[in-house]
């Protein structure tokens, strides 16, 4: 105590020291709180963590929605394109089937006409042809014949087909004339001895060469024209052995070397 009285400045110092010691815990607690708060503050210019996650979720959701919409539109377009292609193919198929059916119907309607005509005529078609050295005789003049040719049904059909193939679009007289040419060659010693060989002689009839002869079905006019020729009807003379369509011809050897007889339709006939 005597020391304190002699040194009175110590008393204020002890008071300050006492206050410092008592306030130290509060100061430490306040410092820790400040440091914690400072640590939890985001960096300058950075967004809070929650805000970052929220923004990312928003961007992700928007991107997904955009992709989903685009993908859906592509799928819709693809489906529509496939449906249109399928519809077009189906329509094309139906159209082709209809055309085929119409063609078959037309053939079915045409064939009975030719068959009926052939059947009705075949009963009166000559079974033999009568010739002299220079001409074909009618059936009523067969007694004048110097030789006879037996005519088969197959040869008659061949004759009908060559008339159809060569003269389908020609007038009736032109069809008879084509049959006359074949029969004139059959009679001539300069050509083959059968109707089949005359028709199939190389390079003589263009439909035989190009295959049309094998595809045609004789119509009523062709059948009738052949029957008339076999009976002796003649639209060209017996020495007529050639005919040419001058508008379609590529070889003019016949017109340049043979004598013209007459022109029927598009065909010009030569001897």
């Amino acid at each position: 105590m005597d020391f304190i009285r002699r040194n009175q400045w110590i008393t204020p110092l002890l008071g300050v020291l006492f206050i410092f010691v008592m306030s130290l815990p509060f100061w430490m607690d306040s410092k820790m709180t400040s440091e914690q708060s400072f640590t939890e503050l985001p960096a300058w210019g950075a967004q809070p963590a929650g805000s970052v996650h929220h923004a990312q979720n928003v961007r992700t959701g928007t991107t997904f929605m955009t992709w989903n919409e685009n993908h859906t539109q592509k799928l819709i377009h693809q489906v529509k394109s496939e449906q249109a292609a399928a519809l077009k193919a189906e329509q094309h198929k139906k159209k082709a089937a209809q055309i085929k059916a119409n063609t078959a119907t037309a053939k079915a309607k045409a064939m009975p006409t030719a068959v009926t005509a052939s059947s009705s005529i075949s009963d009166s078609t000559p079974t033999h042809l009568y010739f002299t050295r220079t001409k074909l005789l009618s059936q009523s003049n067969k007694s004048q014949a110097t030789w006879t040719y037996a005519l088969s049904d197959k040869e008659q059909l061949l004759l009908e087909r060559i008339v159809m193939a060569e003269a389908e679009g020609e007038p009736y007289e032109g069809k008879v004339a084509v049959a006359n040419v074949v029969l004139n060659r059959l009679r001539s010693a300069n050509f083959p001895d059968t109707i089949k060989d005359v028709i199939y002689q190389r390079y003589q009839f263009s439909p035989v060469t190009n295959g049309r002869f094998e595809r045609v079905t004789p119509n009523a006019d062709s059948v009738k024209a052949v029957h008339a020729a076999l009976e002796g009807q003649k639209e060209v003379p017996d020495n007529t052995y050639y005919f040419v369509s001058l508008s379609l011809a590529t070889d003019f050897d016949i017109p340049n070397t043979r004598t013209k007889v007459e022109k029927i339709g598009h065909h010009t006939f030569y001897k």
Side-chain angles (χ1 to χ4, degrees):
M1 293 296 294
D2 292 338
F3 174 78
I4 292 174
R5 281 196 294 265
R6 285 194 299 266
N7 299 283
Q8 294 181 1
W9 56 273
I10 292 178
T11 300
L13 181 60
L14 290 175
V16 172
L17 182 60
F18 175 77
I19 294 172
F20 174 76
V21 172
M22 292 302 292
S23 62
L24 184 60
F26 296 99
W27 179 78
M28 292 294 293
D29 184 60
S30 176
K31 183 178 181 181
M32 291 177 63
T33 302
S34 299
E35 289 179 354
Q36 184 177 359
S37 299
F38 181 79
T39 302
E40 292 178 354
L41 287 175
W44 176 260
Q47 295 181 353
S51 299
V52 173
H53 292 309
H54 176 71
Q56 290 177 346
N57 290 337
V58 170
R59 287 197 297 272
T60 302
T62 302
T63 302
F64 175 76
M65 290 176 64
T66 302
W67 175 86
N68 187 44
E69 182 177 356
N70 292 339
H71 185 63
T72 302
Q73 291 297 329
K74 288 181 180 179
L75 288 177
I76 292 174
H77 179 71
Q78 181 178 354
V79 170
K80 287 183 177 179
S81 298
E82 291 176 353
Q83 289 176 343
L87 180 60
K88 186 175 181 181
E90 184 65 22
Q91 290 175 345
H92 180 73
K93 185 177 180 181
K94 288 182 179 180
K95 185 176 180 180
Q98 185 63 40
I99 293 174
K100 185 176 181 180
N102 292 342
T103 303
T105 302
K107 287 184 178 180
K109 289 181 179 179
M111 289 180 64
T113 302
V115 172
T116 301
S118 179
S119 299
S120 61
I121 293 175
S122 61
D123 295 337
S124 60
T125 297
T127 57
H128 289 79
L129 301 178
Y130 302 95
F131 295 97
T132 66
R133 190 177 63 84
T134 58
K135 64 181 180 179
L136 169 67
L137 298 173
S138 65
Q139 295 293 309
S140 60
N141 294 324
K142 62 182 180 180
S143 59
Q144 303 174 19
T146 57
W147 65 282
T148 303
Y149 182 85
L151 178 68
S152 68
D153 292 340
K154 290 183 178 180
E155 287 181 312
Q156 181 182 336
L157 179 59
L158 290 176
L159 194 55
E160 292 168 355
R161 285 170 59 190
I162 194 62
V163 169
M164 177 69 176
E166 285 282 10
E168 180 179 4
E170 299 299 313
Y172 175 75
E173 293 77 8
K175 291 178 173 63
V176 176
V178 169
N180 291 154
V181 168
V182 176
L183 296 177
N184 290 346
R185 289 188 178 195
L186 175 65
R187 177 194 51 77
S188 173
N190 297 322
F191 294 93
D193 296 331
T194 67
I195 290 177
K196 179 180 179 180
D197 289 343
V198 168
I199 291 173
Y200 280 102
Q201 187 177 11
R202 195 173 186 184
Y203 303 132
Q204 296 302 302
F205 297 97
S206 58
V208 176
T209 303
N210 62 33
R212 171 174 163 76
F213 175 74
E214 303 296 338
R215 298 191 299 269
V216 298
T217 299
N219 59 18
D221 274 353
S222 298
V223 174
K224 182 180 177 182
V226 167
H227 178 75
L230 293 174
E231 287 286 354
Q233 180 178 336
K234 299 175 183 178
E235 296 295 334
V236 291
D238 288 277
N239 61 347
T240 304
Y241 301 112
Y242 306 94
F243 60 91
V244 177
S245 177
L246 296 178
S247 60
L248 300 176
T250 57
D251 183 356
F252 291 90
D253 182 59
I254 296 300
N256 292 334
T257 58
R258 299 287 174 173
T259 303
K260 178 181 175 180
V261 176
E262 64 178 296
K263 186 176 186 297
I264 304 176
H266 295 89
H267 286 150
T268 302
F269 293 83
Y270 298 87
K271 63 181 180 179

